[in-house]
Amino acid sequence: MITTLRTIVQRVADADSIEQSMAELVRQTRGAMNTDCCSLYLVDGEGLILQASDGLAAQAIGRARLNAGEGIVGMVMRREEPINLADAPSHPAFKRLPEVEEDEFRAFLATPITHRSKVLGVLVVQQKVARQFNEEEEAFLVTLASQLVPELRQSREATELASSTPKRWSATVASPGIADAEILLARPRLSLDVEPVQGQGSDKEWLRLERALLATQDDMTALSGRLSGEMESQISAIFDIYQYLIADPVLQQDLMTGCDEGWSAETVVANTFVSYVARFEAMTDHYLRERASDLKDLGQRILGQLARPGQSGKPPVKPVILMANEITATMLAEVPRSKLAGIVSVEGGASSHAAILARAMSIPALFGLEGLPMQALAGKRAILDAVRGQLLVEPAQTVVQEFHRFQSSLAKKDARYERGLSQPCQTQDGMAVCLQVNAGLVAEGEQLDPAYVGGIGLYRSETLFMVQNHFPTEQTQERAYQRVLQALGDKPVTIRTLDIGGDKPLPYFPIREDNPFLGWRGIRLTLDHPELFLVQVKAMQRANVGTNNLRILLPMVSNLDEVIQSRKLIEQARLELEEELDRELSPVQVGVMIEVPASIYLLPQLRPLVDFFSVGSNDLTQYLLAVDRNNAQVADRFSHYHPAVIQALAQVAINVGDSELSVCGEMAGEPEGALILMALGLRQLSMNRRSLGRIHHLVRHLRSQQLEPLKVALLQARECTEVRQLARQWMDVHGLSELYQDL
């Protein structure tokens, strides 16, 4: 059965068009199950339409329709379960459609094709003989339907695209912003899937390959130079990874061996990189899997140099939204910044090099658009809304006008909110609230005006490690930390110690685990490698000399001993520095992130050991709800507004006593989330830079006494929607609805 299933799915995926893929599906399924008819109905509005059939009348395809719940096929859709009948025409729900000519069919088996609790279509097999399909046949059809979801979704999206109605896709915001431009598909790369070809002698093939490697290396240098003027050297160091790979002696030896075996240069490159890519794609770590795209990109570039020595694509003449199945850092560098309006990547995530670059360059970017028919979108106008996470293709002019009004209104509001930052951040009855900013790049810290922020509440030091091809030295780290500490003047800068593992492993430090989010990550990893921890905290404290605004934050703490060990190492680093510098240094403040639920119950014991606490609302929510927020199958279950999260935050606020407490997750930057946090008693919030003005406006237009009734209601809420609605109703009553209505 497995082989047959794979064959059908592969042939459906390999079809040249949507129509052919659906026709291939019903033809292959009919043959595999040895039935007289196989048909595919797709959801169309509130009902179903016959999209393909091998056995029913050809003229009915695309025309025969069933309303929601109508007929046995409609009943399958409504019940969302298979139906197996020996004699369908005798069933009370049978609906005769004269145009489909199915009077001779008796046996009937149908199963829904479902994606995330939504029925996309119904797959039906029929036979002239009146009989019950057996268990094996039913299991085969149900299993096949479950395998068809990716192809069916893409077919459905492309079919809808052909209509005149504008199309929307939802996606993950990798870099915030808005763009309106035509879609440009990234220059196609040569496939690594090539037919093996014998070479014309190992020396000749290696010479061709060596020239291609050198040309690719020069290309990488040029691309890196193009970006280096626009951002800090740390970010352009992404291209050093490509240079490092090209010069890697292991890769060079593998390529040379292939030439010695008599293969052509193209075959050697394809075979070598296919092997490398497969190894990375098989890794469980999310970050390492994304590095496979870098390897694939490099292999395709070398093939391109072999096929078209010295040639490069022409840059666009007007701003575009760059789209690709996997956007890579080199693709971004090929388009001049002035012509790059936005980025859309079908695959990939927020930790990819392209996403890091997009944020550094302030380019709106959406990642993870499942089922996107890229070829059908090439050259079409689109609105990329990386505020609400949407891509709108070929919008009507009225929609464009409305969108630009929205964009203008949003810009005006944000400008008004920004102007308000010059005012003290306190409520109308004088309660002070400290708003800080999250940062992960040196440039982000340098762009802040210390007069308008309370400091940096979370500096993600792992970003510095992620853009290197080796562990950064103490000197490299010191320079990076010093620039941020100096940029903030006397405002505090909270630097989190290296937090890798989970969805953030390093390409040069692979971590292979079955369940990385519950594994070797954060403080657990760095305490197992005290040499890494000591270098980092020493670099931090050395950078702090002369500024004295450093605070160190420990991630993923779940027991007291982790804090005790960390403080010993931090103190050891301080004493070593005092000896090196021959001067006395003040101890820095040390805090703990509350993100592992166990830490909530240890707060009374942790309080004497640390100087402050910071809630990581993203991970705390993830661990409380047992939901991986990066897993598309369950991401819709991830919510900061879950009643359990609200109860946990309320408990934290009580248990920290008079210790300093802040929140540095995404929740703090959402108007509803910030309001809820303040109602629960938190007075220090850290967020992305873009949210600062909006939350500052919220603080200055409320009274602290008004928050107590909201707190009572929140703690009694039973559903996520109820929690969020309570916050919005409160803002509606107090004239602050504009804060959330355009987000």
Side-chain angles (χ1 to χ4, degrees):
M1 179 193 289
I2 294 176
T3 301
T4 305
L5 285 168
R6 286 176 177 169
T7 299
I8 294 175
V9 173
Q10 189 60 49
R11 291 188 177 179
V12 170
D14 290 343
D16 293 331
S17 68
I18 299 160
E19 293 75 15
Q20 287 182 20
S21 69
M22 291 189 288
E24 191 71 15
L25 167 62
V26 295
R27 188 178 70 81
Q28 290 286 334
T29 305
R30 177 182 176 180
M33 296 188 67
N34 194 26
T35 63
D36 299 318
C37 177
C38 178
S39 306
L40 174 66
Y41 293 81
L42 293 185
V43 173
D44 182 49
E46 295 298 318
L48 292 157
I49 185 169
L50 179 65
Q51 286 287 9
S53 181
D54 187 0
L56 298 181
Q59 64 269 21
I61 296 174
R63 297 173 56 195
R65 292 178 177 274
L66 290 166
N67 295 324
E70 187 177 30
I72 303 174
V73 176
M75 189 164 65
V76 173
M77 173 188 172
R78 178 170 53 82
R79 289 185 177 181
E80 300 182 13
E81 62 182 6
I83 292 181
N84 187 349
L85 301 173
D87 186 28
S90 66
H91 192 280
F94 180 77
K95 169 77 174 180
R96 185 176 180 274
L97 298 176
E99 67 270 25
V100 303
E101 300 178 8
E102 62 177 336
D103 293 348
E104 60 183 336
F105 299 118
R106 317 301 293 180
F108 176 99
L109 172 63
T111 185
I113 302 173
T114 307
H115 177 67
R116 297 186 192 171
S117 302
K118 292 183 179 180
V119 175
L120 303 179
V122 178
L123 186 60
V124 184
V125 289
Q126 294 169 274
Q127 206 156 16
K128 295 176 182 178
V129 176
R131 73 173 182 93
Q132 195 91 18
F133 285 92
N134 61 41
E135 289 184 10
E136 185 176 344
E137 291 171 315
E138 184 172 334
F140 178 88
L141 195 68
V142 171
T143 307
L144 175 60
S146 69
Q147 300 293 313
L148 294 171
V149 169
E151 285 72 26
L152 184 57
R153 288 189 71 245
Q154 187 161 354
S155 298
R156 184 181 173 195
E157 298 283 11
T159 300
E160 290 178 349
L161 189 65
S163 71
S164 59
T165 308
K167 298 301 170 294
R168 292 178 186 267
W169 282 269
S170 296
T172 300
V173 174
S175 178
I178 294 172
D180 178 7
E182 287 186 4
I183 292 173
L184 173 69
L185 298 188
R187 190 159 60 99
R189 303 278 186 258
L190 295 178
S191 173
L192 293 176
D193 185 14
V194 302
E195 289 292 329
V197 175
Q198 290 291 325
Q200 300 179 23
S202 61
D203 290 343
K204 185 174 181 179
E205 294 300 330
W206 174 246
L207 180 60
R208 291 180 62 222
L209 186 47
E210 196 170 33
R211 288 173 177 170
L213 290 170
L214 289 172
T216 305
Q217 202 165 29
D218 290 342
D219 195 20
M220 293 298 101
T221 301
L223 293 175
S224 177
R226 180 182 294 175
L227 287 179
S228 63
E230 299 181 18
M231 63 188 69
E232 59 200 285
S233 58
Q234 291 172 233
I235 303 306
S236 59
I238 287 174
F239 293 92
D240 291 344
I241 293 177
Y242 285 79
Q243 303 275 24
Y244 173 80
L245 287 169
I246 293 172
D248 181 37
V250 176
L251 173 62
Q252 297 261 349
Q253 184 59 52
D254 287 345
L255 294 172
M256 195 175 295
T257 299
C259 291
D260 290 341
E261 290 174 352
W263 298 110
S264 69
E266 288 84 354
T267 301
V268 171
V269 171
N271 290 344
T272 302
F273 277 90
V274 163
S275 174
Y276 281 28
V277 169
R279 274 184 252 165
F280 272 72
E281 287 181 338
M283 294 177 181
T284 57
D285 298 309
H286 180 71
Y287 186 87
L288 283 178
R289 285 200 306 273
E290 288 184 346
R291 297 291 72 73
S293 68
D294 295 334
L295 282 165
K296 187 186 299 181
D297 181 45
L298 179 58
Q300 290 169 331
R301 283 179 172 277
I302 298 171
L303 281 181
Q305 286 293 341
L306 287 168
R308 305 180 296 271
Q311 292 186 19
S312 59
K314 294 181 179 179
V317 297
K318 58 183 178 180
V320 295
I321 295 172
L322 186 67
M323 178 182 290
N325 191 55
E326 287 182 290
I327 290 284
T328 64
T330 57
M331 289 177 185
L332 298 188
E334 287 177 331
V335 181
R337 177 65 187 90
S338 61
K339 299 296 188 291
L340 193 54
I343 302 164
V344 175
S345 185
V346 175
E347 298 179 6
S351 59
S352 70
H353 280 158
I356 294 171
L357 277 170
R359 289 192 291 273
M361 297 167 69
S362 299
I363 302 171
L366 295 177
F367 278 60
L369 283 84
E370 293 184 17
L372 197 67
M374 290 196 302
Q375 296 300 325
L377 298 179
K380 296 186 182 297
R381 182 181 186 179
I383 291 175
L384 187 158
D385 182 358
V387 176
R388 293 171 292 196
Q390 292 185 341
L391 178 70
L392 180 62
V393 177
E394 289 202 317
Q397 190 56 36
T398 53
V399 174
V400 173
Q401 292 171 353
E402 183 59 35
F403 189 89
H404 282 289
R405 278 196 292 269
F406 158 73
Q407 187 178 17
S408 175
S409 172
L410 188 63
K412 289 178 181 177
K413 283 183 182 178
D414 285 343
R416 176 160 52 90
Y417 298 148
E418 288 288 309
R419 289 194 296 271
L421 288 173
S422 61
Q423 302 296 319
C425 188
Q426 61 183 33
T427 63
Q428 292 181 348
D429 53 353
M431 181 186 76
V433 177
C434 179
L435 300 186
Q436 298 183 323
V437 173
N438 299 332
L441 302 167
V442 170
E444 291 178 301
E446 291 180 326
Q447 291 165 6
L448 296 174
D449 186 339
Y452 293 165
V453 297
I456 292 181
L458 173 65
Y459 179 84
R460 305 179 185 92
S461 67
E462 61 272 10
T463 304
L464 175 61
F465 288 71
M466 290 166 68
V467 298
Q468 304 284 327
N469 55 25
H470 53 73
F471 284 109
T473 64
E474 182 180 335
Q475 291 73 27
T476 298
Q477 292 187 61
E478 179 192 351
R479 287 193 295 269
Y481 304 145
Q482 189 175 56
R483 286 167 62 185
V484 178
L485 291 166
Q486 291 178 349
L488 269 290
D490 60 350
K491 298 295 177 67
V493 175
T494 303
I495 302 180
R496 181 171 65 189
T497 60
L498 182 60
D499 187 16
I500 58 171
D503 58 341
K504 295 174 293 187
L506 302 176
Y508 47 86
F509 190 71
I511 303 170
R512 297 175 177 86
E513 296 179 304
D514 291 334
N515 194 340
F517 285 100
L518 299 181
W520 199 43
R521 59 169 298 196
I523 200 67
R524 302 170 181 177
L525 186 152
T526 51
L527 287 180
D528 281 350
H529 281 275
E531 73 282 6
L532 297 179
F533 190 85
L534 275 168
V535 167
Q536 183 174 35
V537 297
K538 195 171 182 179
M540 290 180 187
Q541 293 181 87
R542 190 188 294 274
N544 189 47
V545 175
T547 58
N548 292 319
N549 57 340
L550 167 71
R551 293 158 30 119
I552 297 177
L553 184 60
L554 308 176
M556 198 68 183
V557 169
S558 59
N559 62 67
L560 303 178
D561 189 55
E562 291 166 341
V563 179
I564 295 170
Q565 288 185 57
S566 298
R567 296 214 67 145
K568 284 182 179 178
L569 291 172
I570 293 170
E571 178 64 10
Q572 177 184 330
R574 186 181 72 86
L575 294 175
E576 290 175 1
L577 266 180
E578 285 187 338
E579 186 175 342
E580 290 178 25
L581 300 175
D582 192 26
R583 59 176 292 183
E584 186 176 340
L585 301 177
S586 301
V588 298
Q589 289 191 330
V590 177
V592 159
M593 287 200 78
I594 302 173
E595 48 190 345
V596 180
S599 63
I600 298 175
Y601 302 98
L602 291 176
L603 286 173
Q605 291 80 21
L606 284 169
R607 279 164 51 190
L609 301 177
V610 298
D611 301 293
F612 64 96
F613 294 97
S614 183
V615 176
S617 62
N618 296 346
D619 271 335
L620 181 60
T621 300
Q622 175 171 255
Y623 291 130
L624 277 171
L625 304 183
V627 171
D628 176 2
R629 65 184 185 273
N630 295 315
N631 184 336
Q633 298 296 326
V634 294
D636 59 346
R637 298 174 183 267
F638 179 90
S639 175
H640 302 302
Y641 305 104
H642 192 287
V645 177
I646 303 304
Q647 295 286 346
L649 290 169
Q651 187 173 347
V652 169
I654 294 172
N655 289 352
V656 297
D658 56 0
S659 297
E660 181 185 332
L661 174 65
S662 66
V663 175
C664 60
E666 292 177 9
M667 186 178 185
E670 299 172 1
E672 303 98 311
L675 176 63
I676 290 169
L677 291 169
M678 287 187 286
L680 295 177
L682 286 102
R683 300 293 178 260
Q684 187 167 308
L685 311 177
S686 190
M687 62 205 67
N688 64 64
R689 174 63 182 84
R690 189 178 180 276
S691 300
L692 198 63
R694 195 174 290 258
I695 305 306
H696 185 276
H697 182 85
L698 170 66
V699 172
R700 288 188 54 79
H701 288 79
L702 60 81
R703 292 180 176 275
S704 59
Q705 298 98 323
Q706 300 166 339
L707 297 176
E708 186 59 32
L710 175 60
K711 176 182 177 180
V712 173
L714 289 169
L715 295 177
Q716 295 174 350
R718 301 167 57 127
E719 300 289 343
C720 303
T721 52
E722 184 182 355
V723 169
R724 193 161 197 160
Q725 192 57 36
L726 283 169
R728 290 188 170 186
Q729 287 174 352
W730 190 97
M731 285 190 277
D732 290 344
V733 170
H734 294 88
L736 294 169
S737 57
E738 69 169 12
L739 290 172
Y740 71 82
Q741 286 178 343
D742 55 5
L743 294 180

